[in-house]
Amino acid sequence: MRLLLVDDHALFLQSLRVLLIASGYEVVGLAADGMEALVKARSLKPDLILIDIDMPGCDGISATRLIKSELPDSKIAMLTVSARDEQLFEAIKSGASGYLLKSASADEFLAMVEQVGQGGAALPPELTSRLMDDYARQARAAEQPVTAPDVALTPRQTEILALVADGLTYAQVGETLCLSEATVRYHMAQVLDRLHLENRAQAIVYAARHGLARRRSH
């Protein structure tokens, strides 16, 4: 996987580069701000961009909007010390696949990098829970019940979307429903296409908004 790393703290950037290279990733570029990230994303076409959310000038969310507008297939994950609710929503609406917390252990961080690189969503469980709670509050404030999806999904697609929104990986969904992981990925691709969503993170938001996520404990 070819990575572009973006952070205005040079020491952190170099340390992250060393960690990722040691773990078998190819770091094709480094950038110190959002505009530099856009320029390098254009030329390098990385598989995944890890970008700090708080930077002077062009911050991570603004850079994500710019990059996704020109390179819509780019996978982007935000780097942050602590995820604030308003930033979480804005990042996902801008097209990010979620957050990578700088406070995570090396193993946790690398696992989430791999997950995003494979098309998954890097949404820590506590942030997913807060996201769902926020949509519930919005529905109550508007005095509108949470409704079923306004786009027709098949029963199987709805079932898979609900399990993904519950936090299961594609492999775990497959085990639960006695399907291959490839079949689950195919159905999720169809879900994203039908709902006009860009990634798994946005699918989780959609499921939360429409009351599909059951928020079970695993």
Side-chain angles (χ1 to χ4, degrees):
M1 196 188 311
R2 302 169 67 256
L3 305 181
L4 171 63
L5 311 181
V6 188
D7 198 291
D8 60 322
H9 292 92
L11 182 60
F12 173 79
L13 197 61
Q14 291 295 340
S15 299
L16 181 57
R17 176 179 177 274
V18 170
L19 171 66
L20 291 167
I21 290 176
S23 301
Y25 293 98
E26 180 183 359
V27 177
V28 296
L30 304 176
D33 60 56
M35 293 309 298
E36 186 181 3
L38 174 60
V39 171
K40 291 196 173 182
R42 286 171 179 159
S43 62
L44 297 172
K45 302 294 193 300
D47 300 312
L48 175 62
I49 302 170
L50 305 183
I51 185 167
D52 187 24
I53 196 166
D54 288 316
M55 295 182 293
C58 182
D59 62 24
I61 293 176
S62 298
T64 296
R65 293 193 188 105
L66 292 171
I67 294 170
K68 294 292 284 189
S69 68
E70 291 193 26
L71 304 166
D73 294 332
S74 299
K75 296 186 181 73
I76 302 176
M78 315 306 294
L79 297 170
T80 183
V81 175
S82 62
R84 299 193 298 271
D85 286 349
E86 65 274 13
Q87 289 184 309
L88 170 63
F89 306 142
E90 284 302 314
I92 292 175
K93 285 191 294 183
S94 298
S97 294
Y99 278 80
L100 299 179
L101 299 176
K102 294 181 180 180
S103 58
S105 68
D107 288 344
E108 291 172 337
F109 189 92
L110 291 170
M112 296 188 84
V113 169
E114 184 65 21
Q115 185 174 336
V116 176
Q118 295 300 321
L123 291 175
E126 66 273 15
L127 297 185
T128 303
S129 177
R130 285 157 57 190
L131 189 64
M132 293 179 184
D133 289 342
D134 184 82
Y135 275 116
R137 286 194 301 270
Q138 289 181 23
R140 289 195 299 269
E143 296 183 347
Q144 295 177 348
V146 176
T147 59
D150 50 7
V151 176
L153 299 177
T154 67
R156 177 63 84 189
Q157 290 169 346
T158 301
E159 189 174 26
I160 288 173
L161 176 58
L163 291 172
V164 169
D166 282 343
L168 273 67
T169 64
Y170 291 152
Q172 290 170 330
V173 172
E175 291 176 3
T176 301
L177 300 179
C178 298
L179 300 172
S180 70
E181 183 175 350
T183 298
V184 173
R185 288 183 179 277
Y186 170 79
H187 281 298
M188 274 302 296
Q190 293 296 306
V191 168
L192 296 180
D193 182 63
R194 288 192 179 196
L195 301 181
H196 305 292
L197 301 174
E198 294 186 7
N199 53 44
R200 182 172 169 173
Q202 291 184 356
I204 291 173
V205 173
Y206 182 92
R209 186 175 186 179
H210 291 88
L212 295 180
R214 286 163 278 191
R215 301 177 61 179
R216 305 171 306 174
S217 59
H218 305 300

